[in-house]
Amino acid sequence: MSQEVRKAVFPAGGLGTRFLPATKVIPKEMLALVDKPIIQYGVEEAIASGIEHIIIVTGRGKGAMEDHFDHSFELDATLERRGKKELLAVSRSVASLARISYVRQKEPLGLGHAVLCAKELVGDEAFAVILPDDVIDADPPCLKQMLDVFDERGGSVLATMTIDGPGISAYGVLAGSPDPDNERIYNCTGMVEKPKLADAPSKQAIIGRYVLTPRVFELLEETTPGAGGEIQLTDGIKALLKEEKVFGYTFEGKRYDAGDKFGMLQATVEFALKRSDLGPQFREYLKGLAL
Ligand code: G1P
C-alpha cells in the first residue's frame, strides 16, 4: 500500500435542500461564493495540498459541475474575438486546474455510500475526502496540514472543530483524548454521527476533510444504515478504528458551512472583504449601512 496521497474524493450527489429554491436546478456545489462555485474552492485546496487526481461523486442533475471544469469553446471563442484576455485566462484556467474523474451515485443512500462509489477509481491507496460545502480558509491549506499529520502518524486523520452546545448534533463527534505531544491532535477511541447533546462523547466535531486508508472501503461495504437511515461515513471510520489508528486534527484556519444560508452569507462577506479588487469598496459600503 502506497502512503502517498494522490487522490481526493468529492461527494457531490446531495440534493442541497437547505438552499432551496436556489438548488432546485443548480447543484449546490455550483452556488457562487463571490465569483467562484463553492466546489472550486475545495478543488483548489486539494491541488494546493499536492493532490493529483480529483474524483467527483455526482448524481442526477449535477452536469453543470462537469461543464464547469471543462473547456467552454463558445465562451472562449467569444472572449478571444472581443479581446478579453484576462477573462479568457480565467475561463481556461478552470478547465486546466486538475485531472478530474466523475462517478455517479445512483441512489442517495448517504455519505458513506457516496465515498464507496469512488472505490474503483481510488484503488488500494490512501486518499482524501473533501466535502465541498465546507469551505476552509487556511494557510497552509487545511488538507495540507492533515497530510502532514498523516505522514507523521501513519493513521487516518479527520479534521475537527470544537463545537459547544446543541449545534454539536449536526456533526459526527469523536470520543477519545487529546494527544500528550500535540494539542491539535486527538487520539480517537470512538465516534458517533449526529448525537443528541446529552450523548455527545466530546466537543470534537468532524469537519468535511478526511485522509483515509483504503481499508475503509471494505468496511463501508459492510456498514448498515445508521443516523437518518443513511450509510454514514462516520460509521465506516468507527469500524476502521477497531483495526487502525484514527486521529482528529484541529486545523488552523476558518471553516464556513457554505451549504447553509447563514454560513454562505458569512463566507461571502469575509471572502469579499479579503479581495484586493472588491474589499476596499465593499468595506466602505458596509460601513455606510445603518446597522
Ligand atoms: C457530514 C458528516 C458529519 C460531519 C459533517 C461535516 O454531515 O456525516 O459527520 O460532521 O458532514 O460538515 P452532513 O453535513 O452531510 O449532514
Side-chain angles (χ1 to χ4, degrees):
M1 190 186 87
S2 159
Q3 282 292 101
E4 197 192 347
V5 179
R6 302 181 304 142
K7 299 178 184 176
V9 176
F10 285 65
L15 291 177
T17 49
R18 286 189 295 164
F19 237 115
L20 281 168
T23 47
K24 198 174 166 195
V25 177
I26 296 167
K28 66 171 171 171
E29 297 79 9
M30 288 301 295
L31 294 176
L33 170 49
V34 186
D35 55 4
K36 260 192 259 178
I38 60 174
I39 192 169
Q40 192 175 331
Y41 290 89
V43 169
E44 288 176 354
E45 177 186 332
I47 301 303
S49 304
I51 296 293
E52 294 163 11
H53 187 175
I54 304 287
I55 298 161
I56 301 183
V57 183
T58 69
R60 182 168 290 276
K62 298 280 185 163
M65 281 186 291
E66 292 179 50
D67 288 341
H68 179 70
F69 291 111
D70 193 3
H71 287 290
S72 170
F73 291 107
E74 302 87 339
L75 176 65
D76 291 358
T78 306
L79 292 173
E80 196 154 27
R81 210 171 46 243
R82 293 186 186 163
K84 306 268 188 199
K85 282 189 188 153
E86 280 176 27
L87 291 176
L88 181 62
V90 169
S91 167
R92 284 194 172 145
S93 70
V94 178
S96 46
L97 260 180
R99 180 177 164 215
I100 306 186
S101 302
Y102 300 88
V103 60
R104 292 274 285 224
Q105 182 186 20
K106 292 183 188 164
E107 291 171 277
L109 298 181
L111 180 60
H113 176 257
V115 170
L116 187 53
C117 291
K119 182 181 178 208
E120 270 72 39
L121 284 168
V122 171
D124 191 23
E125 54 184 275
F127 64 104
V129 175
I130 291 193
L131 306 189
D133 282 7
D134 282 335
V135 175
I136 299 182
D137 185 21
D139 184 19
C142 178
L143 184 59
K144 175 74 177 73
Q145 297 176 38
M146 295 169 70
L147 290 170
D148 289 345
V149 176
F150 178 76
D151 277 349
E152 190 194 301
R153 300 287 177 119
S156 295
V157 183
L158 321 182
T160 59
M161 237 172 92
T162 302
I163 304 272
D164 244 325
I168 195 90
S169 300
Y171 298 89
V173 182
L174 303 185
S177 56
D179 188 86
D181 298 328
N182 184 337
E183 59 180 17
R184 292 195 171 274
I185 295 179
Y186 194 79
N187 294 311
C188 277
T189 54
M191 60 192 69
V192 46
E193 179 68 12
K194 299 193 173 66
K196 290 194 184 113
L197 177 60
D199 301 332
S202 76
K203 293 177 181 173
Q204 296 295 306
I206 304 170
I207 298 306
R209 301 288 184 278
Y210 308 74
V211 179
L212 300 172
T213 59
R215 173 72 178 135
V216 78
F217 287 125
E218 286 151 349
L219 297 167
L220 280 170
E221 277 170 344
E222 294 159 17
T223 301
T224 50
E230 297 190 334
I231 297 173
Q232 296 291 352
L233 182 58
T234 303
D235 292 339
I237 302 171
K238 191 176 164 184
L240 185 66
L241 192 58
K242 296 200 180 108
E243 303 178 12
E244 298 177 6
K245 284 198 168 140
V246 176
F247 303 98
Y249 173 72
T250 307
F251 58 94
E252 270 178 85
K254 188 158 182 187
R255 170 258 189 177
Y256 302 87
D257 182 2
D260 169 74
K261 290 171 203 177
F262 190 69
M264 181 63 121
L265 286 171
Q266 289 174 306
T268 302
V269 170
E270 294 188 37
F271 276 60
L273 284 172
K274 277 191 171 191
R275 287 268 296 250
S276 58
D277 56 341
L278 292 167
Q281 188 188 0
F282 190 45
R283 187 175 305 276
E284 285 312 306
Y285 167 73
L286 291 176
K287 279 188 196 159
L289 291 178
L291 296 175

